Amino acid sequence: MNPINAPLPRQFLRKLRRVVGRRNLLTEPHQLYAHAYDATNKIYQPQAVVRITEREQVSKVLRLATEYGIPVVPRGAGSGFSGGSLPAKGGVVLLLDRLKRILEISPERRESVVEPGVITVELQQAVEEQGLFYPPDPASLKFCTLGGNYAENASGPRCVSYGVTADWVKSALVALPSGEVIDTAEDPCLTALFAASEGTLGVALELRLHLIDKPPASATLRARFPSMVAAAKAVSAIIAAGLTPAKLEFMDAETLRRVAEYRNEEPPLPNEAVLLIELDGTADSVDGQIPRVEQICQQEEAFEVLHATDAVGQERLWELRRASSGAIAGLKPLKVNEDVVVPIGRLPEIVATIDGLRTELDLLIPVFGHAGDGNLHVNIMCDPADKSEMTRVDEALDRLFTAVIDLGGTLSGEHGVGLSKQPFIERELSPAVIALSRRIKQRFDPVGILNPGKQLPTLEK
Ligand SMILES: Cc1cc2nc3c(=O)[nH]c(=O)nc-3n(C[C@H](O)[C@H](O)[C@H](O)COP(=O)(O)OP(=O)(O)OC[C@H]3O[C@@H](n4cnc5c(N)ncnc54)[C@H](O)[C@@H]3O)c2cc1C
């Protein structure tokens, strides 16, 4: 491999320029800096950026990189929360956002074929115009790409009933580090293997996605609870009752307080928690489920349950949740956003752990997320310039991750391992699984050029 601090070989750059054209090989400092970040607080500057305009270029770039031992880091929109698109070992960022054609939408086959740089919401809107539905809905859907969603196995509020991105990818065309292109339709196990591989095994060039009919009716309920424990119990009760909400989101008291301040509204009760529940299906099934959900919430101490079945009313109920990120964004310079998951029945325990971290470590930690699948967004608000606070943040993360593993959970529900969770991955995966993953990576990428330094613990300690 090219040593991390060594300049890229001139001959390599010359050949790269020949592949993508002069205009699409970016090496000016400002161009490199513009691709040195994602949604984490980390900055890793690439040595070159290649803007891919035709998919055939990807194989050629990968072949060259393998020949010269140069790291290549695929990048969609760069919206990741775990550093996946950052060139941790230098090398070339492979910019895929220009491959953005929706190649086919087939109502007959209920599928769509897309290039990896298509923005998620653009596919959703295009299929909905034809009465079809692509459910995966990361909150970043207005700017993230479908290639990035596949590589991170992105999820979102709807995933409680519809599943995650991998459940909607039928097959993919993938360029391997050797430059060969494979169609995973030949072996569906490969489709699953590339999902969540975070650009470490291959580069997705085309995705064949599964679609369904758009559900004709929906309803939204918003329930207020006197405590997070009561809300967590309601989540378990709703799932245990066999109801399958399309979305089941929660907000804790800290988040509600900040949203109330932000929107200039009455503050919530001191320990209040809110659940937002969306039902969808036929009009009859939705109408039938509303009173059952209301009843369960009331049995679990909800003191207010509102519902709406029209688009405007539903949006009004969702406004509270949609305001969460904006309301907390300015509280501190940095948001350390962890997406831990615990089994639904253990939600009250993890909530108690987070309460303990807040008080014992004196940290501001608003929590909200996808309660229906036990996925919590634990947002530790902090200031990187405050050394003492950052030491407490490190301790909070250590204690949070330990609690999550002890409760039978997982460190990342949707944001991926990347660089952020890599130091902790050995707590979750056994040495045997890590060794096997290393062997798989070695088979796909013998020289180790694709997104090196991610996911698996580094061997040099
Ligand atoms: C405000 C905000 C809200 C978010 N909400 C959610 C959420 O609700 N749910 C969720 O899951 N995530 C969420 N995210 C995280 C992020 O948007 C997702 O991980 C998304 O899938 C990343 O897509 P991207 O195009 O930005 O990929 P990038 O960040 O560019 O890349 C992510 C990873 O995918 C790899 N990659 C990208 N394209 C390809 C390709 N074609 N082939 C192979 N590898 C590739 C990269 O190497 C990297 O490892 C959020 C982020 C932000 C900033």
Side-chain angles (χ1 to χ4, degrees), residues 244-430:
T244 49
K247 301 180 185 176
L248 182 36
E249 298 282 298
F250 82 96
M251 299 166 70
D252 78 344
E254 186 68 71
T255 310
L256 292 169
R257 247 190 310 281
R258 302 301 168 175
V259 171
E261 281 165 14
Y262 183 68
R263 301 190 341 152
N264 220 359
E265 290 172 350
E266 285 288 301
L269 299 180
N271 295 315
E272 188 174 328
V274 160
L275 288 186
L276 279 142
I277 304 141
E278 190 160 304
L279 305 167
D280 69 5
T282 61
D284 282 352
S285 84
V286 169
D287 284 349
Q289 289 185 69
I290 293 171
R292 292 178 64 199
V293 174
E294 280 173 338
Q295 196 187 18
I296 291 173
C297 289
Q298 280 151 1
Q299 277 165 359
E300 300 297 343
E301 302 177 52
F303 59 90
E304 179 188 280
V305 187
L306 304 176
H307 80 259
T309 50
D310 62 299
V312 175
Q314 285 181 270
E315 190 49 37
R316 205 169 294 136
L317 294 179
W318 274 108
E319 269 171 13
L320 194 70
R321 172 72 176 84
R322 297 204 205 290
S324 315
S325 294
I328 66 170
L331 294 176
K332 292 266 183 167
L334 176 64
K335 174 173 89 170
V336 176
N337 179 350
E338 297 302 340
D339 60 324
V340 293
V341 181
V342 293
I344 291 171
R346 313 301 293 267
L347 277 172
E349 289 158 83
I350 195 70
V351 164
T353 301
I354 297 165
D355 275 344
L357 298 178
R358 268 194 202 108
T359 46
E360 289 162 35
L361 298 173
D362 187 24
L363 290 169
L364 193 55
I365 316 182
V367 182
F368 50 86
H370 317 314
D373 45 15
N375 185 343
L376 287 80
H377 289 285
V378 181
N379 303 290
I380 309 181
M381 310 306 296
C382 50
D383 181 355
D386 181 340
K387 296 277 174 287
S388 137
E389 188 171 62
M390 294 314 285
T391 306
R392 284 178 281 128
V393 171
D394 286 343
E395 184 175 343
L397 288 179
D398 190 71
R399 286 167 60 178
L400 174 69
F401 292 152
T402 302
V404 165
I405 300 292
D406 288 350
L407 292 171
T410 180
L411 299 180
S412 173
E414 53 187 26
H415 296 161
V417 177
L419 289 171
S420 309
K421 301 271 171 56
Q422 189 202 39
F424 304 97
I425 201 69
E426 278 163 298
R427 297 189 188 187
E428 183 170 344
L429 302 183
S430 64

Side-chain angles (χ1 to χ4, degrees), residues 81 114 127 134 149 198 215 230 235 237 244 249 253 291 305 309 314 324 395 399 443 454:
F81 262 132
V114 297
V127 302
Y134 175 73
N149 293 172
E198 300 181 11
V235 172
T244 49
E249 298 282 298
V305 187
T309 50
Q314 285 181 270
S324 315
E395 184 175 343
R399 286 167 60 178
R443 284 289 162 137
K454 306 287 171 63

Side-chain angles (χ1 to χ4, degrees), residues 126-172:
V127 302
E128 284 180 30
E129 278 167 20
Q130 304 199 29
L132 297 166
F133 190 43
Y134 175 73
D137 58 344
S140 48
L141 56 81
K142 288 190 181 154
F143 47 87
C144 65
T145 67
L146 290 163
N149 293 172
Y150 179 46
E152 294 287 1
N153 199 7
S155 87
R158 277 195 205 119
C159 295
V160 59
S161 88
Y162 288 102
V164 292
T165 301
D167 297 312
W168 296 87
V169 180
K170 285 179 153 181
S171 64

